[in-house]
Amino acid sequence: MSTPWHVLGAGSLGTLWATRLARAGLPVRLIVRDAERLQSYQAAGGLTLVEHGVASTYAVPGETPDSPEPIRRLLVACKAYDAESAVARLAPRLTADAELILLQNGLGSQDAVANRVPLARCISASSTEGAFRDGAWRVVFAGHGFTWLGDAGHPVAPIWLDDLEAAKIPHEWSTDILTRLWRKLALNCAINPLTVLHNCRNGGLQEHHCEVATLCAELAELLERCGQPAAAENLQQEVERVIHATAANYSSMYQDVANQRRTEISYLLGHACKVAVRHQLNLPHLKQLQQRLITHLRSLGLPSD
Ligand code: NAP
């Protein structure tokens, strides 16, 4: 019997992974917040994945964090701001050789989790797959993409990548995962906050070319300073390419704000600004962007962290 995948968080990405692993016949268990959520999940009869317009339900067994079984392989699929506390609750259940796969966007939450469970191997992921919830325990696979996985402290690939192969989860083991995470964070910082502040789709930023260029210059300086020169290479060109290629899309931060959901600002722009301070780097436009965004979120009654 292969090692069970415990999936923490039954949201968009958690469901996308859990259903594909289950579909491949692999053992999966879903960890939901509490007994009330478990009851709701059990009443629904499983997780539903909608792919190419076709809905399929998978009866993945559910449990709460207090369940007694040991956990050897944990896919952490919470938002960045929930990851540390959610993992802390599971710490007593982790085996001595436990491995965690962290799906969180941005940076900061991975280190926070790793510090909570210093004996576990923590593998970070950066994904371009897209999914959203369109009902309780039901997720739409909206954008096929790719997931890079890597462990900054240990370059050897884990054996369970075979499970991802079997589950047809497009992936690659990356020996420069930190560079990938920083590059994605920089793209996010240059695009997402401005789409919120200018209330526009990604393509709307074509009218704010100078503002975008100034931010890219500061972000590139930051990446160089924190030892990520590869992530700084041609940053502005790539930001412009993404703005053009995704012109009709609303950024994830825009969607969070539009739906009155908490954003992951602290792990994106907030993290960039924090690291800049740590390196005594003065990045006035980035700092001002953070202030404008915080003020805007507060004016809407949304958390600003
Ligand atoms: P999501 O849909 O909001 O799902 C997060 C899930 O975590 C929710 O179901 C939430 O439960 C659960 N959760 C939070 N705390 C928990 C706890 N203590 N115990 C058990 N469950 C807990 O988020 P998402 O969109 O999947 O995003 C997850 C991460 O992936 C984010 O960092 C995001 O930026 C990143 N990402 C997402 C996508 C995407 O397309 N969605 C793409 C790339 C990267 P409740 O339902 O009870 O609130």
Side-chain angles (χ1 to χ4, degrees), residues 213-263:
T214 308
L215 287 175
C216 288
E218 289 193 357
L219 285 162
E221 207 182 327
L222 174 66
L223 293 170
E224 297 270 0
R225 182 67 75 91
C226 55
Q228 293 293 338
E233 252 170 55
N234 302 322
L235 179 64
Q236 189 186 337
Q237 270 162 284
E238 192 175 352
V239 166
E240 282 168 6
R241 187 191 61 73
V242 170
I243 288 174
H244 185 74
T246 62
N249 297 0
Y250 287 110
S251 73
S252 53
M253 192 178 273
Y254 180 100
Q255 291 178 45
D256 282 342
V257 173
N259 291 304
Q260 292 179 304
R261 288 191 301 244
R262 181 176 175 184
T263 69

Side-chain angles (χ1 to χ4, degrees), residues 10-13 33 37 79 86 103-105 129-131 133 264:
S12 307
L13 278 201
R33 264 175 209 280
R37 297 287 287 152
K79 285 281 171 57
L103 289 180
Q104 288 60 49
N105 206 355
E129 292 194 313
R133 297 195 251 187
E264 294 183 301

Side-chain angles (χ1 to χ4, degrees), residues 273-287:
C273 291
K274 201 162 70 184
V275 174
V277 170
R278 206 185 293 153
H279 286 282
Q280 297 176 326
L281 202 56
N282 185 28
L283 302 175
H285 296 89
L286 213 56
K287 208 157 93 184

Side-chain angles (χ1 to χ4, degrees), residues 283-303:
L283 302 175
H285 296 89
L286 213 56
K287 208 157 93 184
Q288 194 194 38
L289 182 69
Q290 185 191 26
Q291 267 321 313
R292 282 163 67 199
L293 187 59
I294 286 174
T295 305
H296 183 72
L297 293 174
R298 285 191 183 143
S299 76
L300 297 172
L302 289 171

Side-chain angles (χ1 to χ4, degrees), residues 33-48:
R33 264 175 209 280
D34 51 31
E36 202 182 319
R37 297 287 287 152
L38 183 60
Q39 210 173 15
S40 153
Y41 173 63
Q42 283 166 343
L47 291 173
T48 299

